[in-house]
């Protein structure tokens, strides 16, 4: 079965640069979520989109923005990168018609800021 | 303040025995509880979940118990197998328009041969 696809899998950037992470949800899933997992930490919810509209917002810095496109893929844009942004970034998707609230996670993008 | 607490960073269990992973939460309004398993370099994989209206859910070797009065849930794995070695995250969904899952810090389960 198709899973959530994230690209790139690894990304190295310097301080103050920008980065764009991409997420392709499972086909027919209408909701996309972004999470950030720092070293030794639990995944922290950043933001979610349902049917291309922002649905919920968590601890996303103002330097970050995201959107969901007409084909349901999503992009997380990160500007003025800081060393503390080094983390694993997970995208997850789900369907609002699924009563289980299960979110299906992608393999993650490891961002390293030097 | 951590709303979901997994107080054991690691747990070592012998193959074939029962593994019990624990999770405590602070908000009695939480709606739905999930367990995820994570291998290194992979995303979390859904294992099993339970609604706040139930106190037990079973799926093969995995059983989740929910004690609402104690705000505590546990994941039982029996019998434990070497492939169960992974980090296990407890997560909660609070509903009410909030989409994001709130995770605990995880418990690293090590199954000893």
């Amino acid at each position: 079965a198709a899973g959530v696809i994230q690209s790139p899998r690894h990304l190295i950037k310097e301080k103050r640069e920008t980065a764009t992470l991409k997420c392709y949800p499972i086909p027919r899933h209408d909701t996309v979520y972004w999470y950030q997992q720092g070293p030794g930490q639990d995944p922290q919810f950043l933001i979610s989109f349902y049917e291309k509209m922002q649905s919920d917002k968590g601890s996303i810095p103002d330097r970050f923005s995201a959107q969901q496109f007409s084909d349901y893929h999503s992009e997380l844009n990160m500007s003025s990168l800081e060393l503390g942004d080094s983390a694993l970034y997970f995208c997850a998707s789900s369907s609002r018609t699924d009563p289980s609230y299960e979110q299906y996670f992608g393999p993650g993008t490891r961002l390293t800021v030097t | 303040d951590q709303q979901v607490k997994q107080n054991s960073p690691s747990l070592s269990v012998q193959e074939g025995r029962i593994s019990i992973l624990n999770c405590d939460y602070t908000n009695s309004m939480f709606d739905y509880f999930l367990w995820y398993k994570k291998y290194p370099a992979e995303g979390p994989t859904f294992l099993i979940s339970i609604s706040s209206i139930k106190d037990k859910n079973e799926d093969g070797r995995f059983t989740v118990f929910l004690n609402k009065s104690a705000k505590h849930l546990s994941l039982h794995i029996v019998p434990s197998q070497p492939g169960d070695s992974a980090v296990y995250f407890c997560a909660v969904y609070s509903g009410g328009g909030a989409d994001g899952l709130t995770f605990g810090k995880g418990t690293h389960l090590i199954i000893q041969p």
Side-chain angles (χ1 to χ4, degrees):
Chain A
V4 176
I5 297 171
Q6 290 188 246
S7 70
R9 292 293 310 275
H10 302 272
L11 189 59
I12 300 175
K13 290 285 185 178
E14 294 187 356
K15 279 196 318 182
R16 292 180 288 278
E17 284 192 319
T18 61
T20 297
L21 310 186
K22 297 186 179 183
C23 169
Y24 298 85
I26 291 172
R28 288 179 295 282
H29 277 190
D30 49 28
T31 307
V32 167
Y33 314 79
W34 286 97
Y35 290 84
Q36 177 192 59
Q37 185 180 21
Q41 299 296 314
D42 50 299
Q44 294 286 319
F45 170 67
L46 293 178
I47 195 166
S48 62
F49 291 86
Y50 168 63
E51 288 289 345
K52 291 151 279 183
M53 301 282 289
Q54 182 181 308
S55 177
D56 188 21
K57 199 169 177 180
S59 52
I60 185 168
D62 292 340
R63 300 177 288 108
F64 294 6
S65 65
Q67 55 183 322
Q68 186 180 32
F69 295 85
S70 57
D71 63 352
Y72 293 97
H73 95 271
S74 178
E75 294 183 5
L76 177 66
N77 299 294
M78 311 158 72
S79 63
S80 303
L81 286 169
E82 301 173 357
L83 295 177
D85 296 329
S86 295
L88 261 174
Y89 289 83
F90 290 108
C91 172
S93 73
S94 70
S95 169
R96 287 287 168 106
T97 60
D98 181 352
S100 75
Y101 303 111
E102 178 185 344
Q103 297 180 13
Y104 296 78
F105 283 76
T109 294
R110 181 172 293 282
L111 172 67
T112 303
V113 181
T114 61
Chain B
D1 190 30
Q2 193 78 11
Q3 296 187 73
V4 180
K5 297 176 186 176
Q6 293 178 257
N7 291 321
S8 300
S10 67
L11 176 67
S12 185
V13 174
Q14 218 166 4
E15 183 179 355
R17 298 284 188 102
I18 183 170
S19 295
I20 300 176
L21 296 105
N22 294 302
C23 177
D24 297 294
Y25 59 95
T26 57
N27 189 339
S28 57
M29 300 300 291
F30 285 146
D31 222 14
Y32 208 81
F33 305 86
L34 307 93
W35 283 95
Y36 280 83
K37 175 180 178 180
K38 186 180 181 304
Y39 293 118
E42 293 184 14
T45 303
F46 172 75
L47 258 184
I48 192 169
S49 61
I50 188 166
S51 161
S52 59
I53 63 173
K54 294 187 173 181
D55 54 20
K56 178 182 174 181
N57 188 24
E58 193 171 350
D59 184 2
R61 296 186 299 114
F62 303 92
T63 303
V64 56
F65 295 92
L66 176 62
N67 182 334
K68 287 186 288 292
S69 59
K71 298 196 193 72
H72 176 83
L73 68 156
S74 60
L75 173 68
H76 292 213
I77 306 172
V78 54
S80 301
Q81 298 174 354
D84 295 331
S85 295
V87 177
Y88 289 78
F89 288 98
C90 171
V92 302
Y93 173 74
S94 57
D99 285 352
L101 296 175
T102 301
F103 286 84
K105 292 204 176 294
T107 295
H108 185 193
L109 176 64
I110 301 160
I111 305 301
Q112 306 274 13

